[in-house]
Amino acid sequence: MTRSTATRGATTRAERGQGTRTLVSPLALATPRGKALYWTVFGGVVLAFALAFLFPVYWMASGAMKSPDELVRTPPTLVPGSWHIGAYTDAWDLMRLPTHLWNTVVQAAGAWILQLVFCTAAAYALSKLRPAFGKVIMGGILATLMVPAQALLVPKYLTIADLPLIHTSLLNDPLGIWLPAVANAFNLYLLKRFFDRIPRDVLEAAEIDGAGPLRTLWSILLPMSRPVLGVVSIFALVAVWQDFLWPLMVFSDTDKQPISVALVQLSQNIPLSVLIAAMVIASIPMVLMFLVFQRHIIAGISAGSTKG
């Protein structure tokens, strides 16, 4: 055996040893005591993280079931002394939650649909059709991300209050939420980066089969883009659902306000337990959406990868 062969063998053994080096050796984990200790520690860590995330949810949901005196008691009680379910029914009726929840659904759904259509079309054009001055246009779009959102409130309000050319007002109209939401530079950039990673061979194969640009987008790219479309959808829906300042400026009519604005406007003479119950009800749709689409969130982390 030569010196170089021995050196390579020693290096390989050292690298293999470094690759399997852990806090506890595999030999110790293979013993019954090691397995029991491992699963005990692992289960304790998982339980601790689960409690850390679920306890705030329990605290909010149980707080709505406490009496007004118990709710402000110091120190607070972990479990309500008596469970008062009536706070949820009072919140549903007194704060007119069905009306405001429906307003929020209409505003979020419209912004989501328009954003998917226009952002996907713009990202596809900038990525695959490559128009003239496409990089300049993309640079201008990304430059808007450096402008604080608060600095755009006054120009946006003046625009929708007196829409240019047609001179109509979009105040107290869902279009006042939908149209500004369409111009989302971050989601457009996310979609463009995904389209950039799709091999050119896929589009060339579609062109050979006689597919035009729209057919290629609809039949080829969109089915491949489900992970990133799911992530963009979640971003779009959450952004509209949790927004407060812009809907407050757009909707002066109380009957047309979304749930985020209504909870503040109608909470003046409402008991605290009823207000907490209303917040719990308002948060349920977002929690359900994350539970349903969590697979798309995880898949969107690796968006852009293609299978060979």
Side-chain angles (χ1 to χ4, degrees):
M1 179 181 295
T2 63
R3 183 183 299 273
S4 60
T5 304
T7 303
R8 286 197 299 270
T11 303
T12 303
R13 287 192 297 271
E15 293 176 351
R16 188 182 302 114
Q18 291 178 357
T20 57
R21 183 177 299 173
T22 58
L23 184 62
V24 182
S25 66
L27 184 61
L29 289 177
T31 62
R33 182 179 178 182
K35 290 181 179 179
L37 181 62
Y38 170 79
W39 286 111
T40 301
V41 174
F42 180 77
V45 172
V46 172
L47 182 61
F49 275 97
L51 290 176
F53 284 103
L54 294 178
F55 181 75
V57 179
Y58 162 77
W59 189 255
M60 183 173 63
S62 62
M65 300 182 186
K66 297 178 181 179
S67 62
D69 295 335
E70 186 180 5
L71 192 59
V72 296
R73 183 183 302 173
T74 303
T77 56
L78 185 62
V79 180
S82 58
W83 300 83
H84 300 276
I85 311 297
Y88 287 96
T89 58
D90 292 341
W92 188 264
D93 297 331
L94 295 178
M95 305 191 72
R96 296 180 296 169
L97 291 186
T99 300
H100 298 295
L101 284 173
W102 176 248
N103 293 339
T104 310
V105 169
V106 171
Q107 295 167 22
W112 165 60
I113 294 173
L114 291 178
Q115 196 170 136
L116 278 187
V117 172
F118 287 98
C119 286
T120 302
Y124 172 65
L126 292 171
S127 176
K128 298 304 181 184
L129 302 184
R130 300 189 178 183
F133 306 106
K135 292 184 178 180
V136 177
I137 296 173
M138 192 65 202
I141 293 173
L142 293 179
T144 61
L145 293 175
M146 295 183 288
V147 181
Q150 292 79 5
L152 300 175
L153 288 176
V154 174
K156 284 197 303 183
Y157 181 82
L158 295 177
T159 301
I160 69 165
D162 186 12
L163 207 60
L165 300 180
I166 59 177
H167 298 289
T168 185
S169 176
L170 297 181
L171 297 178
N172 292 315
D173 193 309
L175 286 173
I177 301 294
W178 296 348
L179 296 184
V182 172
N184 192 305
F186 178 77
N187 287 344
L188 192 153
Y189 175 74
L190 193 65
L191 288 166
K192 182 185 180 298
R193 290 296 298 168
F194 181 89
F195 292 152
D196 287 342
R197 297 181 183 182
I198 295 179
R200 183 68 186 177
D201 299 341
V202 176
L203 277 71
E204 292 177 352
E207 292 175 359
I208 294 174
D209 291 338
L214 290 179
R215 181 70 176 179
T216 302
L217 174 63
W218 181 260
S219 301
I220 306 299
L221 292 185
L222 288 184
M224 299 175 62
S225 306
R226 289 179 181 176
V228 71
L229 290 177
V231 174
V232 169
S233 299
I234 292 173
F235 287 163
L237 290 172
V238 172
V240 177
W241 196 278
Q242 69 178 6
D243 196 9
F244 170 76
L245 185 56
W246 179 243
L248 178 64
M249 297 174 64
V250 173
F251 294 101
S252 58
D253 188 354
T254 307
D255 293 333
K256 297 182 179 180
Q257 290 176 345
I259 189 68
S260 59
V261 179
L263 288 178
V264 177
Q265 299 282 28
L266 301 177
S267 62
Q268 303 300 325
N269 299 318
I270 298 295
L272 184 58
S273 59
V274 176
L275 180 60
I276 295 176
M279 292 180 180
V280 173
I281 296 174
S283 63
I284 289 176
M286 287 293 99
V287 174
L288 292 178
M289 188 186 71
F290 275 106
L291 292 178
V292 172
F293 292 104
Q294 60 179 338
R295 180 171 59 89
H296 297 280
I297 299 175
I298 298 173
I301 297 175
S302 59
S305 60
T306 56
K307 296 180 180 181

